Amino acid sequence: MASFPEPALSATSQVSPTQSSSDTMETPQSTNSHSSNLSATNGDGTRASQGPPPSVPAACLACRAKHLKCDGLNPCSRCTSSSSECVYVASRRGYKGPRRNTAANPNKRHASSSPSPSTSASGSVPDNCPMLLGHAPVSLPNTTAISAFNPAIVLPQDTQPPSPFTNPALANLQVFRNPFANGGTGGAGAGGHPHAHHPATRSNLDALNSSVAARSSSALQPTPSLPDRCFDMFYQMFHAGHPFVLPKHELLRLIKEGTTKLDALLAAIRYIGSLYVDNAGPARAHFLEEAVRLCFDPAAATPKDGFLVQALLLVIIGLDGSCQQERARELLSDCERIALEINLNTRPFATMHGRGNPVLEESWRRTWWDLYVCDGMIAGVHRVTNFLLFDIQADVALPCEEEQYLSGDIPQPPMYIEDFDDQLFSGEERPFSSFAYRIAAARNLGRFMRTPTTIYPGDENVAKVEALLTNWRIHLPENKRYNIDKNCQLDEMMFQAHFITFACTIMLHQPLSQLDSSPTRAVTSCAPHRQVASGHEFNSHTQFTVTAACEISKMITQPVPLLRHTHFFTCVVTLSSIVHLSKWAALYYLEDEDDLRQLIRLNVGALARLSAVWKAANTACGQVKGVAQEIYRAKKAQQINPAFWVGFTQEQMISSLNADEGIMSDFNSMLSQVTTAPP
């Protein structure tokens, strides 16, 4: 059978809901009457004028959608048995569509201006042939008038899928049958079209159906609950900075198995994740209280294992960044005690409690070493504790690279700290992970903290510690020097290793430098003020201090959101700010004052950004701003005295005034955007 293209209905043609379907849809009885009328002809072979034109039987829409044979009754047998609504529409098979340039012939009909179904163009009653464009309209269920053919309207409302044809741009799309029924495929049975669709039309309909299905699926997805959002935010924003908890897919698998009590760990994860959720509100405090209760309440029956250490460590980090440092130190003491009781610091622990899972074994190794590093950073930046774990004997294997941990491709056998220390002398070229260099940086910090207090320049202890720091830097492999991994992504473990080393350099050399620290005595958000007497010239210790502070400021420019860094970066930036402000207050005119101004601006901006999550950053930001304003007012007061400008050229005077005005303008514009950090 030859196939004929079918026209798209005009957007102006409408269907009246009050007309009967018998006007256009032929039942078997009407078909028989038409057959008898076909035989009623005149003797000369002409057709009798009273006989109606031949009609074309059609299947109801329900049978057509299912590609089943329809008996043509109204309602048909299948719809009667299934209690479905039986609706017929006229077939348009064989219609070739309007010709081009129809406007040249006013007697031709247009799809957009069909004559009334009651009269023909000549005024007589038209042939009731559904192949004509102006055939009698179809009776539909009680619906509103429709401007274009819409397959969705013929389906029951409880099963009707969303229709893409409500878009005006798709109103004139040529559609011959319901594209949503059984994948939109047509067959040769009753109610189907035996001719094949054009390939382009077929692909367009498939793409359209896929798009509508995707939108419908996304619309039906429930909104994640707050605990689920906090869980996701933990892995999205926090996990890379302290990657000791199992990767997300591994933890979800363990939760699904239900063989391990993880309530305390999950509560701690939700607490950390809530810090990054703006509308967490009172739930944040609830998650914290629940985590602490599950860790210590005997009624909770939380086993004393590695998961308990992980939960406590997360709570400690969160409290320390939320200006609850005293409570964090108390929990740190408990966490370290439990870790030593369960022998987390020993080599066999990972194998004995890893359940034959290399990823879980790696998680236990990372838990010990992250506890070790956090203990060192808390002791270093706050200068209250003494880095207890530095003196604890540990033979835990070193962690692997982050991508290996996340993918589950754990290298065997693991390497140990002895391998790291002897790599230069053993002659073995073995690559070590970024986590291993982070551990080495924390060890250098511990060695510095065990050094006796330096009271004079040239102390040999200072030279020994500086040798450790310099050796760490100069022996870095090429791929570990710039905080970038092989995929050109920021390496958070090396990022932390570098800023630990820079902070250690400042703490080592600042007491011996010529920078007077008294102007920054109000900056105490991270550590108590340390008095440093001023001198008459810059010495080598001043150079070490200033250089390290500048390097910390440059780290802010790394192409990664600041909130993805560990909160300990807040205290390191604050330490750098103290050095910058001391230098700015020490000299009235600096050749590099513009560079110094930009570094201070970087630090203040970073603290302002970090304050969106960490309350400690908000406190530090306010203190740094206050000190900057004091220095600014002191310099302005001295500039009133004419003797101040003796020896300055006019250009230097203007530059100094503009620099002071510029930095204060920058502070005010940035700090006006700082919002109150979450409690």
Side-chain angles (χ1 to χ4, degrees):
M1 178 183 297
S3 63
F4 300 96
E6 299 176 4
L9 290 181
S10 169
T12 60
S13 63
Q14 295 193 351
V15 179
S16 172
T18 59
Q19 290 175 303
S20 171
S21 61
S22 61
D23 293 339
T24 56
M25 187 60 61
E26 305 295 333
T27 62
Q29 290 83 353
S30 63
T31 302
N32 294 335
S33 64
H34 289 172
S35 300
S36 62
N37 289 334
L38 287 175
S39 60
T41 58
N42 296 330
D44 56 357
T46 60
R47 180 179 167 184
S49 59
Q50 70 275 11
S55 63
V56 179
C60 71
L61 291 180
C63 293
R64 184 183 302 179
K66 298 177 182 179
H67 302 288
L68 299 174
K69 184 70 175 179
C70 182
D71 56 15
L73 297 177
N74 192 4
C76 70
S77 302
R78 296 186 187 277
C79 291
T80 301
S81 60
S82 61
S83 300
S84 300
E85 187 175 10
C86 189
V87 179
Y88 289 85
V89 296
S91 172
R92 293 166 290 161
R93 184 181 306 166
Y95 178 68
K96 297 183 178 181
R99 299 177 180 271
R100 294 183 179 180
N101 301 326
T102 55
N105 188 350
N107 295 325
K108 292 187 176 181
R109 297 169 55 197
H110 301 277
S112 61
S113 59
S114 300
S116 172
S118 60
T119 59
S120 64
S122 60
S124 59
V125 177
D127 295 335
N128 193 21
C129 178
M131 295 181 64
L132 297 178
L133 186 60
H135 66 80
V138 180
S139 175
L140 295 176
N142 187 16
T143 60
T144 58
I146 302 166
S147 60
F149 175 67
N150 189 339
I153 64 173
V154 299
L155 298 177
Q157 293 184 355
D158 55 344
T159 60
Q160 172 176 307
S163 174
F165 300 101
T166 55
N167 187 340
L170 303 177
N172 294 325
L173 182 67
Q174 289 192 358
V175 181
F176 305 138
R177 36 192 315 278
N178 187 351
F180 300 102
N182 295 332
T185 56
H193 292 280
H195 58 275
H197 294 297
H198 191 277
T201 304
R202 178 77 264 158
S203 61
N204 290 341
L205 289 178
D206 291 341
L208 186 60
N209 291 341
S210 301
S211 175
V212 173
R215 288 197 300 269
S216 301
S217 176
S218 62
L220 295 176
Q221 291 179 356
T223 302
S225 63
L226 180 59
D228 290 339
R229 290 168 56 202
C230 294
F231 183 87
D232 293 336
M233 290 301 290
F234 168 83
Y235 279 98
Q236 180 180 342
M237 302 298 296
F238 181 86
H239 187 260
H242 296 276
F244 57 89
V245 177
L246 282 169
K248 185 176 182 179
H249 63 279
E250 287 286 343
L251 183 60
L252 291 175
R253 183 185 60 80
L254 205 60
I255 295 172
K256 185 177 181 181
E257 290 178 357
T259 57
T260 307
K261 193 173 182 60
L262 301 172
D263 295 345
L265 177 59
L266 293 178
I269 289 175
R270 288 192 290 266
Y271 162 60
I272 294 295
S274 69
L275 297 174
Y276 298 89
V277 178
D278 293 335
N279 59 347
R284 185 178 295 121
H286 170 72
F287 291 148
L288 172 60
E289 294 174 0
E290 181 185 17
V292 175
R293 180 186 63 81
L294 291 172
C295 288
F296 293 102
D297 189 357
T302 301
K304 189 179 293 186
D305 56 9
F307 293 114
L308 176 59
V309 175
Q310 290 181 345
L312 284 172
L313 183 53
L314 291 178
V315 173
I316 291 166
I317 296 172
L319 290 174
D320 188 78
S322 302
C323 287
Q324 301 185 51
Q325 297 170 4
E326 183 63 32
R327 190 178 183 189
R329 288 194 294 270
E330 294 175 358
L331 292 181
L332 177 62
S333 177
D334 294 331
C335 183
E336 291 172 341
R337 175 179 51 81
I338 294 173
L340 296 177
E341 286 181 3
I342 65 176
N343 297 320
L344 186 64
N345 60 315
T346 61
R347 182 178 301 189
F349 182 89
T351 304
M352 292 175 58
H353 300 274
R355 308 175 186 179
N357 184 352
V359 179
L360 184 56
E361 294 177 7
E362 174 71 10
S363 177
W364 296 140
R365 294 190 286 265
R366 286 169 170 263
T367 301
W368 166 257
W369 286 121
D370 214 280
L371 177 61
Y372 178 91
V373 173
C374 288
D375 187 20
M377 287 196 286
I378 290 175
V381 298
H382 299 317
R383 305 174 194 176
V384 176
T385 56
N386 61 354
F387 198 175
L388 172 66
L389 297 185
F390 178 78
D391 299 318
I392 300 298
Q393 183 67 31
D395 57 355
V396 181
L398 294 175
C400 61
E401 293 286 7
E402 304 312 298
E403 62 177 8
Q404 294 172 330
Y405 181 49
L406 297 177
S407 66
D409 185 18
I410 311 299
Q412 298 294 338
M415 290 181 284
Y416 295 85
I417 199 69
E418 296 83 2
D419 301 323
F420 185 89
D421 291 337
D422 298 337
Q423 57 181 317
L424 178 64
F425 307 102
S426 64
E428 298 181 2
E429 296 292 337
R430 304 182 66 182
F432 291 88
S433 67
S434 299
F435 206 134
Y437 286 98
R438 176 178 178 239
I439 296 169
R443 291 171 71 211
N444 290 338
L445 176 61
R447 290 167 178 168
F448 157 72
M449 297 185 67
R450 296 297 183 269
T451 302
T453 303
T454 302
I455 59 175
Y456 62 91
D459 189 341
E460 63 178 4
N461 289 322
V462 177
K464 290 179 181 179
V465 176
E466 182 55 45
L468 292 172
L469 301 177
T470 302
N471 274 326
W472 183 90
R473 285 192 296 265
I474 65 177
H475 289 290
L476 285 176
E478 190 65 26
N479 63 337
K480 303 295 183 184
R481 294 182 183 274
Y482 305 106
N483 305 330
I484 301 296
D485 62 18
K486 65 180 181 180
N487 298 319
C488 295
Q489 301 295 321
L490 184 70
D491 189 337
E492 179 65 25
M493 294 294 96
M494 284 308 303
F495 183 89
Q496 294 185 26
H498 279 288
F499 78 59
I500 291 173
T501 303
F502 292 138
C504 189
T505 299
I506 293 176
M507 290 186 289
L508 175 66
H509 292 282
Q510 186 187 22
L512 301 174
S513 71
Q514 303 301 302
L515 295 175
D516 184 4
S517 64
S518 58
T520 62
R521 59 186 175 274
V523 184
T524 59
S525 60
C526 291
H529 171 68
R530 297 180 66 181
Q531 181 63 40
V532 177
S534 61
H536 298 290
E537 61 182 9
F538 282 172
N539 55 22
S540 61
H541 297 287
T542 305
Q543 187 64 33
F544 274 112
T545 303
V546 171
T547 301
C550 293
E551 291 297 328
I552 292 173
S553 296
K554 292 178 183 177
M555 296 183 75
I556 299 172
T557 64
Q558 296 282 356
V560 67
L562 287 170
L563 293 179
R564 292 183 183 269
H565 296 312
T566 175
H567 90 276
F568 291 109
F569 190 49
T570 295
C571 289
V572 176
V573 172
T574 304
L575 184 62
S576 171
S577 301
I578 292 174
V579 175
H580 293 327
L581 293 172
S582 298
K583 182 180 178 182
W584 189 37
L587 296 178
Y588 298 113
Y589 176 76
L590 299 171
E591 293 183 357
D592 62 343
E593 189 161 2
D594 183 65
D595 295 336
L596 178 61
R597 184 172 68 252
Q598 294 303 324
L599 294 178
I600 297 175
R601 189 172 188 267
L602 269 176
N603 286 15
V604 174
L607 294 174
R609 184 70 186 95
L610 290 167
S611 65
V613 171
W614 303 109
K615 188 176 180 181
N618 187 65
T619 303
C621 190
Q623 292 178 353
V624 172
K625 175 188 175 183
V627 170
Q629 290 174 337
E630 289 181 3
I631 296 174
Y632 170 76
R633 286 191 291 265
K635 296 183 75 172
K636 292 294 288 185
Q638 293 194 6
Q639 289 171 0
I640 298 176
N641 185 1
F644 170 80
W645 300 107
V646 174
F648 282 76
T649 66
Q650 183 178 5
E651 181 180 355
Q652 290 174 339
M653 293 171 57
I654 297 175
S655 177
S656 179
L657 291 172
N658 290 339
D660 293 342
E661 294 290 347
I663 192 170
M664 293 312 301
S665 176
D666 290 341
F667 287 162
N668 292 332
S669 63
M670 286 186 298
L671 295 175
S672 62
Q673 303 174 3
V674 178
T675 57
T676 303

